[in-house]
Amino acid sequence: MMAAEKPQPLRGVLSVDEPMSRHTSWRAGGTADRFYQPADSDDLAMFLRGLPVDEPLLWIGLGSNLLVRDGGIRGTVIGTSGVLDGLARLAGDIVRAEAGVSCAKVARFCARQGLAGAEFLAGIPGTMGGALAMNAGAFGGETWPLVLAVETIDRTGQRRERRPQEYRIGYRHVVSPAEEWFVAAHLQLAAGDTAESAARIKGLLGRRNATQPIGEPSCGSVFRNPPGDHAARLIEASGLKGYCIGKACVSTRHANFVVNDGGATAADIEALIQHIYDVVLAKHGVSLAREVHIVGAARPTTAGAIPVSGGATASGNASVGRAAEKSLRRAGRPDDFGKVAVLMGGMSAEREISLKSGSAVLAALQRRGVDAHGIDVGHDIASRLAGGDYDRTFIMLHGRGGEDGTMQGLLETLGIPYTGSGVLGSAIGMDKLRSKWLWLGRGLPTPDFALLADDTDLDDVVRRLGLPLIIKPSCEGSSIGMSKVTIKSRLAEAWRVARGYDANVIAEQWITGAEYTAAIVGRRALPLIRVETSHEFYDYAAKYTADDTRYHCPSGLDAAEEQELQQLALTAFDAIGAAGWGRIDFMCGEDGRPWLIEANTIPGMTDHSLVPKAARAAGIEFDDLAWMILETTLGGGTGRRTGEQGT
């Protein structure tokens, strides 16, 4: 028998309870449970293979776009700066830069090599890995247009080479096809002149030094520039230059910079970011989206103390920030949630999507240190919940048995708090017919419709509603069983398809126009998303499998129009008794008039889902969104322990 291969020792540096203030450009924040600096990519792969599969991981470079909350980070932080620092010219005009190399160093290296196009990188105060993760830019240039390929690594230590077309890339935003991290980039440049590139870099840096608070602890630009304007102009026009909370101040040199004036806490900085957002929204009607990532736990508070908003929300929607602030008066640490069951799967027609949503939420909560456990719901769910000693549940069941009040009723009986709407709000939200009746009763706009049955006069339906029509089962989600009917002879067939999913089938007047969705968290609506699809309507394939569905956020509406539709969504949500979180879908006809289509009280949480997209546009990362939704289970003081109370 051959002897087992002796495992190789790690060659990097592992620290315990590492102060993150040493590793972020704001020089603030709590400690990380573990901090690892790998010797090289091989050592990194070995380290990752040895970690528990559910270990929360955070990757940082220079920490220039990061705020770590004062409660610190539960899990492991991997620091790449100064260790993954390979930089070389490959064949022709290709440069390979590892994730830990500073962007400024890449810019200077390319210039020395007589390669042009990377000069703008000198103005990005971070590493190559961070620039890839957020499509960082400066002086009119962006990272990903230079990228020919990237090298990645996953939790198992497996490395891959990927192409840009495998990612969804936007302004300061990149979505990866998998849970992988960047190890290196292959940049394709153009032939240039060393002296010209060096002179351009010098000029760009001179501009930066003249207009930005270089040398003061900051993260660079806090907010993204809104379309057609500059965040700094809006902040300065709001009279905020020099405004301070604690030792965190708006720079007097550049209003889109928040500086640590000596001893600022992360809570000071986060509170100031939220204040800037609130004031700009109130004065100018502009919802600024932040560039900075806010991670970690809020500092534990004593009774009566009020910590700052859960920074997942700062710079998103001001109202979402206030909801999170209220919630964080109750939850500052993962332990506050106790043992959490994430319910997924189930037995509805939406089982597969539920499994994807639930798995994503489970991983997000675990990354944040929550004691979360996934449960694939079956017929034994009552006994599993009763015997599992769970403190609360995150319901990610789509469709029947999970979204219709059934699971909510069981949890009420067991006395286990849960996310989302209560029994009645869930039941009505699942039922498109009853939702429309309630909306009509409140005088809210919803397309005209007819209930189809065996004895329905289909000719009369067509005469009254016209063509096309959308035929849908009343109690299904994800557009399952829906059909667009353009000729009368197809109506009976469409009814039979929908009838296979629910006894109640609706024929609804077709609205030609733009489709929008409003995600709701707590008591506020996130930025609207306008959906465009090449399909006849936003069907199951367009939602979950199509690559050509386009999501526009910002939606393209002006501020007044967007706020009006957000308020309509909130009113519609309230009308059906929904609470906690959810989504309202509506159409705007060619005349601009809005029409409520349906509610969703447990929306999807996959990479194609709309609520995470809206949250991301508001500056709320997926993990923070899951945390915020789970916080809605912590309401108290009225004797009601469940999600129906809301926030």
Side-chain angles (χ1 to χ4, degrees):
M1 179 181 296
M2 294 181 63
E5 183 178 344
K6 184 178 180 180
Q8 296 297 310
L10 293 171
R11 294 175 286 113
V13 178
L14 177 65
S15 305
V16 178
D17 293 331
E18 177 72 6
M20 290 303 294
S21 58
R22 299 175 181 173
H23 303 282
T24 61
S25 58
W26 253 317
R27 301 293 181 259
T31 62
D33 289 348
R34 288 162 294 281
F35 189 94
Y36 191 70
Q37 292 177 290
D40 52 35
S41 56
D42 290 335
D43 182 64
L44 172 60
M46 189 181 305
F47 177 78
L48 290 171
R49 285 194 292 269
L51 289 176
V53 294
D54 58 351
E55 173 75 352
L57 285 177
L58 174 69
W59 294 60
I60 72 167
L62 291 172
S64 59
N65 197 43
L66 185 70
L67 178 63
V68 177
R69 294 192 181 100
D70 299 308
I73 296 172
R74 307 287 73 79
T76 298
V77 176
I78 295 175
T80 63
S81 177
V83 289
L84 296 183
D85 58 355
L87 184 58
R89 183 172 183 172
L90 305 180
D93 55 0
I94 310 299
V95 168
R96 180 182 182 273
E98 290 192 336
V101 182
S102 73
C103 293
K105 186 176 180 180
V106 174
R108 291 192 296 269
F109 176 84
C110 293
R112 288 196 300 270
Q113 294 290 319
L115 298 173
E119 294 87 349
F120 72 92
L121 289 172
I124 298 174
T127 59
M128 201 68 236
L132 291 170
M134 65 172 292
N135 192 23
F139 305 116
E142 287 188 329
T143 302
W144 276 86
L146 299 180
V147 176
L148 179 66
V150 291
E151 299 171 26
T152 67
I153 193 167
D154 65 16
R155 281 181 172 270
T156 69
Q158 182 175 353
R159 280 170 275 186
R160 297 177 177 85
E161 184 171 298
R162 292 190 181 275
R163 299 291 171 177
Q165 52 266 35
E166 296 180 69
Y167 296 84
R168 295 205 302 277
I169 301 163
Y171 176 63
R172 305 297 182 265
H173 174 64
V174 178
V175 178
S176 171
E179 190 184 28
E180 298 173 357
W181 297 273
F182 298 111
V183 174
H186 296 192
L187 308 177
Q188 186 163 38
L189 301 153
D193 179 87
T194 295
E196 288 180 3
S197 292
R200 183 160 183 247
I201 290 172
K202 183 178 180 180
L204 293 175
L205 292 179
R207 253 175 73 194
R208 188 186 71 166
N209 293 339
T211 58
Q212 298 177 8
I214 304 304
E216 298 181 70
S218 78
C219 77
S221 295
V222 173
F223 296 100
R224 303 175 189 173
N225 287 327
D229 207 340
H230 291 87
R233 187 198 70 78
L234 292 166
I235 297 167
E236 184 170 355
S238 299
L240 290 172
K241 261 192 172 182
Y243 185 91
C244 300
I245 293 180
K247 291 292 186 177
C249 299
V250 178
S251 170
T252 56
R253 177 167 286 193
H254 192 301
N256 199 18
F257 281 62
V258 168
V259 299
N260 183 344
D261 201 32
T265 65
D268 292 337
I269 295 168
E270 190 172 358
L272 181 55
I273 291 171
Q274 183 66 51
H275 180 74
I276 295 167
Y277 174 85
D278 288 338
V279 172
V280 170
L281 180 63
K283 286 185 175 291
H284 302 285
V286 177
S287 176
L288 293 175
R290 71 164 190 256
E291 289 190 19
V292 62
H293 294 273
I294 303 178
V295 299
R299 183 186 294 279
T301 58
T302 57
I306 301 175
V308 179
S309 148
T313 65
S315 96
N317 183 294
S319 50
V320 174
R322 287 189 287 271
E325 180 174 340
K326 179 180 176 184
S327 297
L328 279 173
R329 298 175 189 179
R330 303 187 298 263
R333 296 176 58 86
D335 291 347
D336 293 342
F337 295 117
K339 186 178 180 182
V340 178
V342 179
L343 306 183
M344 65 183 89
M347 294 161 280
S348 78
E350 298 178 74
R351 170 178 169 78
E352 293 306 316
I353 299 303
S354 173
L355 287 171
K356 291 181 180 179
S357 293
S359 297
V361 167
L362 176 63
L365 294 178
Q366 290 176 340
R367 285 192 294 268
R368 290 291 301 269
V370 177
D371 182 20
H373 304 260
I375 297 180
D376 187 347
V377 173
H379 293 293
D380 61 346
I381 185 59
S383 60
R384 292 182 69 181
L385 286 171
D389 195 27
Y390 293 104
D391 294 291
R392 62 200 70 254
T393 54
F394 197 122
I395 305 176
M396 275 316 311
L397 294 164
H398 303 318
R400 296 176 185 276
E403 202 167 355
D404 58 2
T406 303
M407 182 57 64
Q408 290 77 5
L410 171 62
L411 292 166
E412 293 275 1
T413 302
L414 295 174
I416 303 175
Y418 55 86
T419 53
S421 299
V423 176
L424 183 60
S426 297
I428 295 174
M430 182 72 185
D431 192 324
K432 299 177 183 66
L433 177 62
R434 283 164 177 78
S435 293
K436 289 172 76 70
W437 283 342
L438 284 171
W439 288 336
L440 289 171
R442 290 281 297 272
L444 301 177
T446 187
D448 199 3
F449 65 98
L451 187 62
L452 303 184
D454 289 322
D455 58 352
T456 300
D457 184 341
L458 298 183
D459 289 333
D460 182 63
V461 170
V462 171
R463 278 194 299 272
R464 185 163 67 84
L465 301 180
L467 290 170
L469 292 169
I470 185 76
I471 311 302
K472 58 179 76 172
S474 184
C475 292
E476 279 295 347
S478 294
S479 302
I480 290 173
M482 291 174 57
S483 307
K484 180 183 179 182
V485 172
T486 57
I487 55 176
K488 187 174 66 175
S489 60
R490 299 293 303 275
L491 184 54
E493 178 186 352
W495 169 71
R496 284 192 292 272
V497 170
R499 183 68 178 77
Y501 294 95
D502 190 67
N504 289 328
V505 175
I506 300 170
E508 187 177 71
Q509 196 172 48
W510 181 266
I511 302 296
T512 299
E515 183 163 358
Y516 296 87
T517 189
I520 295 169
V521 179
R523 291 289 307 139
R524 303 293 174 172
L526 297 175
L528 299 182
I529 296 177
R530 177 166 54 88
V531 180
E532 284 188 311
T533 175
S534 60
H535 297 222
E536 285 196 304
F537 61 95
Y538 190 44
D539 59 10
Y540 184 94
K543 282 180 166 79
Y544 299 114
T545 62
D547 292 326
D548 61 349
T549 303
R550 294 175 297 282
Y551 304 96
H552 301 277
C553 191
S555 64
L557 299 170
D558 65 35
E561 291 172 324
E562 175 132 345
Q563 289 172 12
E564 181 181 348
L565 293 179
Q566 286 174 320
Q567 186 56 54
L568 173 62
L570 289 167
T571 302
F573 204 60
D574 288 342
I576 62 172
W581 75 296
R583 204 184 74 223
I584 295 290
D585 299 335
F586 49 92
M587 301 288 298
C588 281
E590 293 176 323
D591 60 356
R593 183 181 179 186
W595 298 91
L596 295 167
I597 302 300
E598 63 181 74
N600 194 324
T601 56
I602 305 181
M605 289 283 277
T606 71
D607 58 352
H608 276 60
S609 298
L610 297 177
V611 174
K613 291 180 187 294
R616 195 178 302 119
I620 304 170
E621 300 302 327
F622 187 94
D623 291 9
D624 292 325
L625 174 64
W627 178 283
M628 290 169 63
I629 294 169
L630 185 60
E631 282 179 332
T632 65
T633 65
L634 295 172
T638 64
R640 186 167 188 77
R641 297 181 60 207
T642 66
E644 180 134 24
Q645 181 178 334
T647 60

